[in-house]
Amino acid sequence: MALIGLVRVSTDKQNTQRQHDALDPICWKVFEEKTSGKLATADRPELLTALSYIRDGDLLAVQEVDRLGRNLLEGLIVLNDLFQRGVGVKVLEGIAAGEHTERSLILDLALALSEDRRRDIVRKTKNGLEAARKRGRVGGRRPVVDDDKRAAILSRHQRGESIRTIAAGVKVSIGVVHKTLTAARSGIEPAIATDIPDSPGGHP
């Protein structure tokens, strides 16, 4: 049995070192993705690559269970998908620490607590922005495409989908898809909203 690690953060600005420190010493191979946990498994290329690498009897290892998804529903969808594929999960930290081959109450609870923690972060962030607005400081312009849609656009493009098909699937205009792909090829940071960190204290 081998451990195949998965490191995930939501944006390029978040640091993955803490997760690597936990996974690298014990895993045969570690895959890293910088994409939102809101996305379905099919729209997360590195997760799919990790799953194609896993062999019978191997386990997908994550530092904490919320690395698989950002909230209860999304995390459960990914876990159910993994279990249906016959892939077990090893969680290193948190109340769900241990090996899992099927859904359990402890996994549900761990994801629910993670969702509650993230909701608190979002609330505090909104309060901070509101306080800034009252002081006369207003944030940037409304984003054309957010992190989640950008990740889905790039993922679908990598799979060879046409711009028109991507636009219909992601529910944006063809022009938005074209601008997103052009910005990605040019290495230009698009005008998108900065994702809220998945855990407090600035850690990924």
Side-chain angles (χ1 to χ4, degrees):
M1 179 189 76
L3 295 179
I4 306 302
L6 178 69
V7 167
R8 184 190 67 78
V9 290
S10 297
T11 71
D12 290 336
K13 296 179 181 179
Q14 290 177 266
N15 193 335
T16 60
Q17 190 58 53
R18 187 169 67 98
Q19 293 180 63
H20 276 291
D21 288 345
L23 293 170
D24 289 353
I26 63 172
C27 290
W28 179 262
K29 187 174 180 65
V30 175
F31 294 86
E32 177 181 314
E33 62 178 0
K34 293 188 175 182
T35 190
S36 173
K38 281 185 175 181
L39 297 179
T41 303
D43 289 325
R44 294 170 62 179
E46 287 304 314
L47 175 56
L48 291 176
T49 301
L51 294 181
S52 67
Y53 188 86
I54 287 176
R55 299 294 178 261
D56 289 344
D58 291 347
L59 293 173
L60 181 67
V62 290
Q63 184 181 26
E64 295 175 310
V65 71
D66 63 352
R67 296 301 92 197
L68 296 172
R70 289 170 60 186
N71 62 32
L72 177 60
L73 177 60
E74 292 145 8
L76 289 176
I77 289 173
V78 174
L79 280 170
N80 286 335
D81 188 20
L82 294 176
F83 295 152
Q84 288 175 5
R85 293 167 181 250
V87 177
V89 173
K90 183 177 180 67
V91 181
L92 301 186
E93 298 177 10
I95 63 172
E99 297 180 4
H100 306 272
T101 57
E102 60 183 11
R103 182 176 170 183
S104 65
L105 178 62
I106 197 67
L107 282 173
D108 290 7
L109 180 59
L111 286 167
L113 289 174
S114 175
E115 179 178 18
D116 186 65
R117 180 178 62 183
R118 188 173 189 281
R119 187 183 297 115
D120 185 59
I121 293 172
V122 172
R123 178 182 58 79
K124 289 178 179 177
T125 300
K126 287 181 178 179
N127 289 344
L129 290 173
E130 183 61 30
R133 290 190 186 97
K134 290 180 179 178
R135 293 195 301 269
R137 295 172 54 194
V138 182
R141 61 175 179 159
R142 185 178 181 85
V144 175
V145 58
D146 60 20
D147 280 340
D148 299 331
K149 289 185 177 180
R150 177 174 179 268
I153 288 170
L154 297 180
S155 174
R156 288 171 179 262
H157 178 67
Q158 289 175 355
R159 297 204 300 268
E161 293 185 13
S162 69
I163 289 179
R164 185 177 299 277
T165 300
I166 295 171
V170 183
K171 294 181 174 56
V172 296
S173 69
I174 292 175
V176 167
V177 175
H178 180 73
K179 288 179 181 178
T180 301
L181 295 176
T182 299
R185 285 193 293 266
S186 303
I188 299 172
E189 183 70 18
I192 56 177
T194 301
D195 200 4
I196 302 299
D198 288 311
S199 59
H203 291 298

